[in-house]
Amino acid sequence: MAKKTLSHQVEDTLFTVIVREERFARGQKLPNELELSKTLGVSRTTLREAVRSLVSQGILEVRRGKGTYIASDLDRHRDGPTFKNFSRIRTRLRDLFEMRLIFEPEIAALACRRASAEEMAEIIRLGREEEGVIRAGGDRTVPDQRFHQAIVAASHNEFIIDLVPTINEAVNIAITDNGNGAGDGRLLSDHTLHDHAQIMDFLEARDAKGARYAMTIHLHHAMRILNIADDLLHDGAAAREI
C-alpha cells in the first residue's frame, strides 16, 4: 500500500476517534508518537503525515516542547456533510462516487419526467456545446458541470439541487488534488462523448429507465478510468436497481 494512502487511512482513523467518537477531551494531549504509532500499527513517519494533516485542519495543535493536543474548538467539524473540509475529501473519492451512483441515475430519471420543453432543450444545447469543446481538444470541465447541473435543475427537487453541486465540487477537488485525475484524460473525454450522447437520447425520448441506465454506466466509466473502487464497480448494486 502506498505510504500516502496509508497516512490518509491513519488520518481517517484519528479523525473518527477524535471528532466522531470523542474518545479524547478537548485540550487533551495525545499519546506520545512512539506509543501511538505502535497502537495504530504504522511507522512514525506515516503517523507524522496524518498528524500534520489534522493539524492543518485545526483538529490537532502542536505545542512546541510539549506535544500534540486535541484542539479546543471542534464544533466546526460537526456540521454534517457540508463538504467544506476539502483536505479530507481528497481521500474520499470512492465514497463520493458512491453518493453519485445513489443520486444521479435517479436524478436523470426525474428529469425525464419533470423537465419542461425549455429545460430539455437547454440540457441538449449544453450537451452539444460540451461535445464541441471535447472535439476541439478544449477543457471540458465547465461545460461538463453545466450539462450535469442542467439535468439536476430539471429534477425540480430543491434538496437535490442544493446537494449535488456540492458533491460534484468535492469530487473535482478530490480528483485534482489526489492526482487521480492524471489518468487517461483522452479516454475519459471519449467516454463522455459516447455516454452523454446516450443520456441525451434517453432524455429527449422521455425514457426514464434508459436515462437511469445511461447515467449509471457513465459514472462507472469514470470510476474505472480514475482507478477507484473496484469493489464498488463490481458489486452490481446499481445495476440491480435498473
Side-chain angles (χ1 to χ4, degrees):
M1 182 177 295
K3 182 170 66 174
K4 180 179 179 182
T5 301
L6 185 56
S7 70
H8 284 156
Q9 289 185 341
V10 174
E11 177 189 341
D12 285 346
T13 298
L14 290 174
F15 183 93
T16 297
V17 300
I18 293 169
V19 178
R20 304 301 182 199
E21 298 177 1
E22 301 184 15
R23 296 189 196 177
F24 295 92
R26 299 182 189 189
Q28 181 179 347
K29 183 179 180 181
L30 279 184
N32 66 56
E33 188 179 87
L34 179 59
E35 178 184 346
L36 191 55
S37 63
K38 286 183 177 179
T39 298
L40 295 170
V42 297
S43 70
R44 295 169 72 175
T45 299
T46 298
L47 176 62
R48 287 189 199 115
E49 292 176 358
V51 167
R52 187 159 46 243
S53 178
L54 292 173
V55 168
S56 72
Q57 298 172 46
I59 294 168
L60 296 175
E61 55 186 40
V62 176
R63 300 177 187 174
R64 189 175 298 276
K66 295 183 178 181
T68 304
Y69 292 76
I70 309 300
S72 299
D73 180 14
L74 292 178
D75 289 341
R76 62 195 178 93
H77 298 286
R78 296 195 179 92
D79 293 334
T82 62
F83 297 104
K84 292 178 181 177
N85 190 355
F86 289 128
S87 58
R88 283 183 50 73
I89 290 172
R90 292 165 190 166
T91 68
R92 298 297 183 92
L93 271 175
R94 181 193 184 280
D95 291 346
L96 288 165
F97 267 91
E98 187 171 57
M99 287 189 70
R100 292 189 71 186
L101 279 168
I102 291 169
F103 284 108
E104 293 194 42
E106 191 57 38
I107 289 169
L110 288 175
C112 278
R113 302 185 186 106
R114 298 178 178 177
S116 67
E118 292 77 12
E119 287 171 328
M120 188 64 73
E122 179 64 4
I123 291 170
I124 302 306
R125 185 190 71 79
L126 291 169
R128 301 301 182 208
E129 181 179 285
E130 182 184 8
E131 179 181 329
V133 169
I134 292 174
R135 293 191 185 282
D139 184 355
R140 66 178 184 83
T141 303
V142 173
D144 185 78
Q145 291 172 348
R146 289 173 178 166
F147 173 74
H148 282 277
Q149 184 55 34
I151 296 173
V152 171
S155 74
H156 292 278
N157 181 301
E158 291 187 12
F159 181 79
I160 290 173
I161 290 170
D162 288 340
L163 177 63
V164 171
T166 316
I167 297 173
N168 290 339
E169 183 179 2
V171 169
N172 290 334
I173 290 174
I175 289 172
T176 299
D177 293 345
N178 240 5
N180 287 322
D184 192 338
R186 183 68 254 174
L187 181 58
L188 188 56
S189 291
D190 289 344
H191 273 301
T192 297
L193 279 175
H194 178 267
D195 293 350
H196 281 196
Q198 280 200 325
I199 291 169
M200 288 188 288
D201 284 346
F202 286 120
L203 287 170
E204 281 193 295
R206 301 283 179 168
D207 182 340
K209 184 176 181 179
R212 184 186 293 117
Y213 172 82
M215 186 65 76
T216 300
I217 294 300
H218 177 49
L219 292 171
H220 278 218
H221 280 155
M223 293 174 72
R224 286 194 179 97
I225 293 166
L226 293 171
N227 297 316
I228 59 174
D230 285 341
D231 55 331
L232 182 59
L233 289 173
H234 293 120
D235 67 9
R240 287 194 295 271
E241 295 300 320
I242 298 172

